[in-house]
Amino acid sequence: MLLPVAVVPLLGLAISATAAPLAPRASNGTCVTKLQRRAWHTFTVGEKKAYIDADLCLMKLPATLGLPGTKNRFEELQSIHQTQSQITHGVGAFLPYHRLHMYAHEQLMRSECGYKGAQPYWDEARDAGKFAQSDVLDPVTGFGGDGVGEKGCIVDGPFANYMNGLGPGYKIGDNCIYRFVNDTLSRMAGREYIDFCYQKKTFMEFWPCAEMAPHNGGHGGVGGKMLDPIASPGDPIFYLHHTWLDKIFWEWQALDLPARLTDIGGQTKQLGFPTNMDPGSFVPPADAMVPLPGSPPQRAEGNPGNVTTLTHILNMLGVIPNATIGDVMDIGGPLLCYEYV
């Protein structure tokens, strides 16, 4: 869960007409050739353009699932996050859920928009304390820069004119992609915080460490919509940030395999997002943090108790098939079939 800023400690489309194949698998479903996820700063200009064009493509493809307020496929991916926030943050499913969400984004880009690469990540430790200078925020080859004016709307880059239909919080209505880059908060993405979390011996120790910092460092360092704990996937940077966090999760798992492929726990529902989030322009107003009437019930599926288990179902709302936490614990397994390089 994103914490209130006041209490965070300072420590043009060129899409191929032919969809790219999913990661190759054997007839029995075994992962054969893993997609290789790389850092954004290692991408060529052409690779960056191909990725951004695929996101622009998702923003143009019409919504198909009837999810509240969604106009396009990009917003359907965002809706997964918006409508289930209280059972995917501050809970044991936080890291597995976001792992599957990143996979969903990767698969839609490849299967519906002709993207031939893998989902990249933002090496935030490299840019900690200096997000404003990151090539991720480059106005020509990146995602556009900091917001401008009181509302913080971005005015440059490929997404400057995009009006997002979801947010702030649980609200529905067009709003710009807005940012308030904060290099003080971005320090929480630093290597020292990651290494501190790597020292944790159990998932119950590691998960809250990772969700606090470096997770909050990436969200807080970009600010604006990225600091909205419910509608943050409305900023395309979200997917680079959470893929980075997934890399951190996998690297912790890899320190003790195979034991950490089954190490899970934690509550299944948080008590609720704070309603005294301040200062105002950085985060949604309190009334946006209350689910709208008719919103889906916030309950974990496939898990009748209040302890997260491997059989816990991660609901993708029809965007891609659901999976259990057990299905996504191994990134090189038959479902996900990728690796970090």
Side-chain angles (χ1 to χ4, degrees):
M1 177 179 72
L2 296 175
L3 297 181
V5 173
V7 301
V8 173
L10 299 183
L11 295 176
L13 296 183
I15 302 300
S16 167
T18 302
L22 305 184
R25 292 170 171 82
S27 58
N28 64 357
T30 303
C31 175
V32 176
T33 304
K34 298 174 184 177
L35 288 180
Q36 294 192 329
R37 293 185 174 181
R38 295 162 39 214
W40 180 258
H41 74 269
T42 70
F43 274 34
T44 66
V45 171
E47 288 173 325
K48 291 177 177 178
K49 183 178 187 303
Y51 178 85
I52 287 173
D53 281 351
D55 253 346
L56 291 169
C57 167
L58 291 177
M59 292 174 177
K60 290 182 178 295
L61 291 178
T64 62
L65 300 172
L67 300 177
T70 57
K71 304 184 302 294
N72 54 55
R73 293 293 269 165
F74 183 81
E75 290 175 359
E76 287 181 329
L77 280 161
Q78 183 184 9
S79 183
I80 301 172
H81 194 274
Q82 184 192 43
T83 59
Q84 301 185 100
S85 291
Q86 290 187 16
I87 55 173
T88 58
H89 298 80
V91 295
F94 170 73
L95 291 168
Y97 158 77
H98 284 87
R99 174 172 284 176
L100 188 59
H101 194 166
M102 297 309 100
Y103 174 78
H105 181 253
E106 181 179 64
Q107 294 307 296
L108 259 63
M109 295 181 90
R110 289 172 60 82
S111 65
E112 300 186 16
C113 287
Y115 180 59
K116 292 178 170 56
Q119 173 66 48
Y121 59 88
W122 179 359
D123 186 349
E124 293 177 8
R126 179 175 178 265
D127 293 333
K130 51 181 181 179
F131 272 20
Q133 302 171 40
S134 174
D135 56 354
V136 170
L137 296 173
D138 188 279
V140 177
T141 62
F143 293 75
D146 199 2
V148 173
E150 182 179 352
K151 292 185 177 180
C153 295
I154 60 172
V155 297
D156 57 18
F159 306 103
N161 297 317
Y162 176 64
M163 294 301 290
N164 182 228
L166 304 182
Y170 290 106
K171 291 183 177 297
I172 293 173
D174 283 347
N175 56 105
C176 68
I177 296 175
Y178 56 103
R179 299 181 187 140
F180 296 93
V181 176
N182 186 318
D183 277 336
T184 300
L185 293 181
S186 80
R187 289 167 50 198
M188 293 178 65
R191 176 57 57 184
E192 63 271 31
Y193 297 96
I194 298 168
D195 290 343
F196 178 73
C197 292
Y198 283 164
Q199 296 173 25
K200 304 302 182 182
K201 300 300 183 184
T202 67
F203 179 84
M204 287 294 291
E205 296 173 300
F206 172 77
W207 142 56
C209 183
E211 188 168 2
M212 176 59 190
H215 171 241
N216 282 346
H219 280 285
V222 175
K225 183 172 278 287
M226 273 287 282
L227 200 51
D228 181 336
I230 297 167
S232 50
D235 188 332
I237 288 177
F238 173 87
Y239 292 97
L240 270 69
H241 165 60
H242 264 283
T243 304
W244 168 242
L245 194 68
D246 181 59
K247 179 176 183 288
I248 292 170
F249 179 27
W250 175 249
E251 289 179 347
W252 175 82
Q253 288 181 283
L255 291 173
D256 187 11
L257 293 175
R260 290 181 180 174
L261 297 180
T262 56
D263 186 5
I264 198 71
Q267 64 189 28
T268 62
K269 181 181 178 181
Q270 61 164 299
L271 298 178
F273 287 115
T275 56
N276 60 340
M277 303 179 80
D278 219 18
S281 63
F282 283 84
V283 292
D287 66 339
M289 311 305 284
V290 180
L292 296 173
S295 295
Q298 296 283 309
R299 68 170 68 96
E301 296 185 56
N303 192 344
N306 192 34
V307 177
T308 303
T309 68
L310 294 173
T311 60
H312 181 119
I313 295 173
L314 304 170
N315 191 343
M316 294 289 106
L317 304 185
V319 175
I320 64 169
N322 296 344
T324 67
I325 287 179
D327 291 331
V328 304
M329 291 296 278
D330 184 355
I331 66 170
L335 174 62
L336 301 180
C337 198
Y338 64 80
E339 62 186 348
Y340 288 104
V341 298

